[in-house]
Amino acid sequence: QVQLVESGGGLVQAGGSLRLSCAATGSAFRIGAMFWYRQPLGKQRELIASITSGGSTNYADSVKGRFTISMDNVKNTVYLQMNSLKPEDTAVYYCNLDAVESGWRRSYWGQGTQVTVSS
């Protein structure tokens, strides 16, 4: 079993920065890829960034150039550095792990962390 623990959310003014962390703990798993999603209040959850175990990254157009996803393979932790934050970035942010366990792929979700950007 794998658990994801997120941290780093909070309240920030527009133009500011935050860094989110998501640590994966457990045994006998390998990271296939990790993802950051966000869900604004009353809206659907959207994928905003991804990173593979090999370090390949992808971003949604809405965050490209402002957000950076990175991963520490030793700590099994993924980060999301968010710069130049805008009020429209306000949402609950979730990390997601595509894990490989004994040859099976499983998906795990973090508990979510609130990011609020004030204008």
Side-chain angles (χ1 to χ4, degrees), residues 3-100:
Q3 289 188 325
L4 301 179
V5 178
E6 298 182 37
S7 61
L11 173 65
V12 65
Q13 288 188 329
S17 299
L18 283 174
R19 189 175 84 150
L20 307 182
S21 300
C22 175
T25 61
S27 60
F29 75 96
R30 179 171 58 83
I31 293 175
M34 295 192 79
F35 308 86
W36 283 102
Y37 288 76
R38 68 184 181 187
Q39 187 168 18
L41 187 64
K43 297 185 179 181
Q44 288 188 331
R45 191 172 298 188
E46 62 170 338
L47 174 63
I48 57 170
S50 65
I51 186 166
T52 68
S53 58
S56 296
T57 59
N58 272 295
Y59 299 92
D61 288 343
S62 58
V63 306
K64 198 173 293 183
R66 300 187 299 122
F67 291 9
T68 302
I69 188 171
S70 60
M71 185 160 60
D72 184 327
N73 289 299
V74 174
K75 296 181 179 180
N76 286 336
T77 299
V78 66
Y79 304 95
L80 186 69
Q81 178 66 44
M82 304 185 294
N83 298 328
S84 302
L85 283 161
K86 305 175 182 179
E88 51 264 43
D89 294 319
T90 295
V92 178
Y93 284 69
Y94 297 91
C95 64
N96 174 254
L97 164 65
D98 174 36
V100 180

